[in-house]
Amino acid sequence: MWDGALQYFYEAANLGSMRLASDKIGVAVSSISRQIAQLEYELGVPLIERGRRSIRLTEAGQLAYEYHKNQLAGREGLLNQIQELREVKTGRVDLAIGEGFFGPPFTAMIEAFQAKNPGIAVSVTSCPSAEIIRMVIEDEAHIGMILSTTSEPKIRTRAAVAQPLLVLCAPDHPAAAMEALTVADLATFEMCLPPGGFRIRATLNDAQKRAQVCLEPRLVTTSIAMMREIAKGGRAVTVLPRISAIAELEEGSLVARPLIDDAIEHSTVSLIHRLGRQLDGAPARLLAVIEAKLKSWS
């Protein structure tokens, strides 16, 4: 009774007359008039000014009008959210990410996402940053995550989180006893580092020139997983951003020490997708999850 009367009142007020409301709803004018009168009786106040050809609301009528208007907006929002849930029951998301992001935290995030969205298939490809950017531009990947920034005009950076470079070593390694290390300190230890084409190595090359020392790694590898394992074994130290060794740092198999250099260029983790590509459904949902998790890892 209440909802029906409010709807009749709202339409009459919105259209400016009971006649127009009658035509829209498909009921007699007398029915609309009775419903409004009953609503006024229940509320104990008049909602419209009597004796006018067009409807003019009283102060109470304006409150009732706004109330129902907000009800309709809330109902529409609810229906849109439910529709979105229905549409995201199935789908596919293609991710392209750097190897440094692989590990238990990332795996747990994907598993938790699929547990909540069992109908969504997720494909994850690991490759260098340049290839990730290409895949995103060519729509081979919905979402990319790179350990760098990009000025590529066809790429939109959804989120960028700064990640300082850290010296990583085993808990019993001599470097672990130091509060922080300079580049000169780093040169005194055996190192496992990436090759020259990696941003981390280029950053360290600039830092060693400023410090006037030479960094000669004992082992060079493109595998960040191998860098972590070598450091865990205590044979050497490595240099990575925290996000590349979250699990090891949390479990205590690796410890991190700051690398002191005022001009050193820190890494930035960027979450990207193609500019102009409308991500909705499953890709949009996973993108939001990764963005929130990325910020929590910073």
Side-chain angles (χ1 to χ4, degrees), residues 173-216:
H173 191 280
M178 305 173 69
E179 291 186 3
L181 286 82
T182 63
V183 176
D185 292 330
L186 190 62
T188 65
F189 298 114
E190 289 194 5
M191 292 171 288
C192 177
L193 296 176
F198 278 52
R199 177 69 64 87
I200 293 172
R201 189 64 183 278
T203 297
L204 290 175
N205 286 344
D206 291 339
Q208 71 177 356
K209 291 176 184 176
R210 290 190 296 271
Q212 296 184 336
V213 298
C214 184
L215 299 179
E216 296 182 352

Side-chain angles (χ1 to χ4, degrees), residues 22 28 37 70 85 121 124 130 138-143 148 153 166 188 196 201 211 238 241 245 256 258 267 298:
S22 169
N70 291 334
L85 287 174
V124 183
E138 298 296 328
D139 287 347
E140 294 175 17
H142 294 99
I143 305 164
S148 60
L166 301 170
T188 65
R201 189 64 183 278
T238 191
S267 297
S298 63

Side-chain angles (χ1 to χ4, degrees), residues 137-151:
I137 290 175
E138 298 296 328
D139 287 347
E140 294 175 17
H142 294 99
I143 305 164
M145 192 157 65
I146 56 177
L147 192 59
S148 60
T149 57
T150 178
S151 58

Side-chain angles (χ1 to χ4, degrees), residues 240-256:
L240 290 170
R242 182 179 183 276
I243 197 170
S244 294
I246 292 174
E248 291 79 4
L249 291 172
E250 290 181 348
E251 71 186 14
S253 60
L254 284 176
V255 296

Side-chain angles (χ1 to χ4, degrees), residues 69-241:
K69 182 179 179 181
N70 291 334
Q71 268 194 324
L72 293 176
R75 185 179 304 166
E76 181 183 10
L78 173 62
L79 292 175
N80 286 339
Q81 291 175 10
I82 291 175
Q83 178 67 17
E84 181 183 354
L85 287 174
R86 285 202 300 262
E87 291 174 352
V88 183
K89 282 184 178 179
T90 61
R92 179 184 176 86
V93 188
D94 295 310
L95 297 178
I97 68 173
E99 184 204 5
F101 303 118
F102 281 112
F106 183 84
T107 301
M109 176 187 67
I110 296 299
E111 288 179 342
F113 175 80
Q114 290 196 296
K116 291 182 179 179
N117 304 274
I120 296 178
V122 178
S123 169
V124 183
T125 300
S126 174
C127 47
S129 294
E131 178 64 7
I132 293 171
I133 292 170
R134 185 201 66 77
M135 291 180 68
V136 171
I137 290 175
E138 298 296 328
D139 287 347
E140 294 175 17
H142 294 99
I143 305 164
M145 192 157 65
I146 56 177
L147 192 59
S148 60
T149 57
T150 178
S151 58
E152 167 58 55
K154 295 180 181 179
I155 290 292
R156 180 193 171 196
T157 300
R158 171 68 175 259
V161 177
Q163 286 277 306
L165 293 177
L166 301 170
V167 179
L168 303 181
C169 61
D172 57 354
H173 191 280
M178 305 173 69
E179 291 186 3
L181 286 82
T182 63
V183 176
D185 292 330
L186 190 62
T188 65
F189 298 114
E190 289 194 5
M191 292 171 288
C192 177
L193 296 176
F198 278 52
R199 177 69 64 87
I200 293 172
R201 189 64 183 278
T203 297
L204 290 175
N205 286 344
D206 291 339
Q208 71 177 356
K209 291 176 184 176
R210 290 190 296 271
Q212 296 184 336
V213 298
C214 184
L215 299 179
E216 296 182 352
R218 181 72 177 272
L219 179 63
V220 175
T221 176
T222 60
S223 171
I224 291 178
M226 187 174 184
M227 294 177 214
R228 292 192 300 251
E229 290 304 310
I230 292 293
K232 283 168 62 177
R235 174 184 165 188
V237 301
T238 191
V239 177
L240 290 170

